[in-house]
Amino acid sequence: MGYFDVPEVEYTRYSNRQLAAVPLAVLAVALLVLSGSFLVYGTPVQLGMDFAGGAELTVQTTSSEEEIQNAFDVEPDSIQAVQAPGVENQYTVQFAGIEDSEAIQALTEQAETNLEADGDASVVQQESTASPAFAEQTQQTALLGLAVAFLGMSVIAFVLFRTFVPSVAIVASAFSDIVIPLAFMSIVGIQLSLGTVAALLMLIGYSVDSDILLNNHILRREGDFFESTHRAMQTGITMTVTSMMAMLVMGVTAYLFGVELLASIGIILFVGLAADLMNTYMLNLSMLRWYKFHGVSR
């Protein structure tokens, strides 16, 4: 098995304010991005069909994805190649927010007209996959799940350490670990769906794992503060970087094979884990150092 050598960071060169400044600045930018998206579009992150409702067409054509993209008056929210044995040249085209039967029929006619240059285009299946009312209920359920997971994580942090600053450090890091990937999704146009919500739930777990590891080494194990920090980093950074590489490989592979959801999950987890490295070993650590040297007996 390979060994990942984690260099020892000279934290004494930086004040607590300097350490916390970078992650807090990134968090502030992420919040500004989400706020701007909310003001312009009505939602912090673009909603997928799971949460907005809409129509879905399955198209049989030898046209390219770019040609399919340009075949409709309404820009598709997603175009995915159908991956199934014996199925070739089929694409699933999704239009979020469209449920009217006349609008769906118009999209069907556009597909058959604009993609029939070689006489090969046909709509294999058309359907309205989710009504806005059902999608809104699904959205509320997913957001409730995220809120319950975050609240549960916060309770566990306070139960484990039973002190304010270390527990708040874990909660603050986890909050930033969620907000930064959400802002990234808003910038690059990754939609919020049941699949991407699952990725965000996984990030809560990753965040708690790395933060509790750091807190436990510093507060409950013997040794100097910086020695304990380095021991925690050897384990925590190795785990996180390994997971990042796995998610990056999954995302790139899924993208090459046209599996859009897996590609989105992979890149969200990669960005979230990178944010977790920053928040754990800069924001969380700065709060722990203040608590250890200034807050415990003051």
Side-chain angles (χ1 to χ4, degrees):
M1 179 180 295
Y3 177 72
F4 184 78
D5 187 18
V6 178
E8 188 168 357
V9 180
E10 295 184 25
Y11 280 108
T12 53
R13 296 174 55 188
Y14 309 100
S15 68
N16 291 328
R17 289 185 179 181
Q18 288 175 321
L19 285 175
V22 174
L24 289 177
V26 175
L27 175 60
V29 171
L31 289 172
L32 283 175
V33 169
L34 294 177
S35 299
S37 178
F38 181 80
L39 291 175
V40 174
Y41 302 109
T43 57
V45 182
Q46 183 180 359
L47 301 180
M49 288 187 59
D50 294 334
F51 298 147
E56 180 179 278
L57 305 179
T58 303
V59 180
Q60 179 85 36
T61 180
T62 57
S63 301
S64 66
E65 290 192 17
E66 183 178 356
E67 290 172 329
I68 297 174
Q69 183 88 17
N70 297 327
F72 302 95
D73 293 338
V74 179
E75 183 178 357
D77 291 275
S78 172
I79 300 174
Q80 298 184 47
V82 177
Q83 304 290 333
V87 176
E88 296 182 359
N89 301 324
Q90 277 194 15
Y91 297 87
T92 299
V93 188
Q94 297 181 342
F95 301 87
I98 295 178
E99 65 162 343
D100 181 75
S101 58
E102 294 183 0
I104 297 174
Q105 183 60 37
L107 293 173
T108 302
E109 293 173 357
Q110 290 170 20
E112 293 175 341
T113 301
N114 298 332
L115 296 174
E116 65 178 6
D118 298 323
D120 66 335
S122 63
V123 175
V124 178
Q125 182 179 6
Q126 69 175 42
E127 57 179 316
S128 177
T129 58
S131 68
F134 178 78
E136 183 178 359
Q137 183 179 358
T138 305
Q139 176 185 347
Q140 293 173 352
T141 302
L143 294 178
L144 178 62
L146 270 175
V148 170
F150 193 85
L151 178 62
M153 175 274 299
S154 303
V155 170
I156 290 174
F158 278 92
V159 169
L160 284 176
F161 296 100
R162 300 181 183 179
T163 45
F164 183 76
V165 174
S167 302
V168 167
I170 294 176
V171 174
S173 295
F175 176 75
S176 184
D177 288 349
I178 298 300
V179 171
I180 292 173
L182 282 172
F184 175 81
M185 290 170 61
S186 180
I187 292 172
V188 301
I190 296 177
Q191 297 178 346
L192 191 66
S193 63
L194 290 174
T196 53
V197 166
L200 295 174
L201 287 170
M202 292 175 65
L203 280 177
I204 294 177
Y206 276 117
S207 176
V208 172
D209 185 36
S210 59
D211 288 318
I212 288 180
L213 175 69
L214 177 65
N215 287 23
N216 194 56
H217 271 76
I218 291 176
L219 300 177
R220 293 183 173 176
R221 296 194 179 184
E222 297 181 355
D224 176 76
F225 177 88
F226 297 105
E227 291 177 358
S228 300
T229 297
H230 184 59
R231 287 199 304 268
M233 290 176 68
Q234 285 181 313
T235 303
I237 291 181
T238 300
M239 290 192 310
T240 303
V241 171
T242 302
S243 299
M244 287 175 64
M245 294 303 102
M247 294 304 105
L248 182 62
V249 170
M250 182 186 80
V252 171
T253 303
Y255 175 79
L256 293 176
F257 282 93
V259 186
E260 185 176 329
L261 178 58
L262 279 181
S264 298
I265 290 174
I267 192 63
I268 290 169
L269 288 173
F270 179 83
V271 172
L273 289 170
D276 182 53
L277 281 177
M278 175 184 66
N279 289 316
T280 299
Y281 300 106
M282 295 181 74
L283 178 61
N284 189 355
L285 190 132
S286 68
M287 297 177 71
L288 284 177
R289 188 169 67 173
W290 178 88
Y291 172 75
K292 190 75 173 178
F293 294 110
H294 302 284
V296 174
S297 59
R298 300 292 193 277

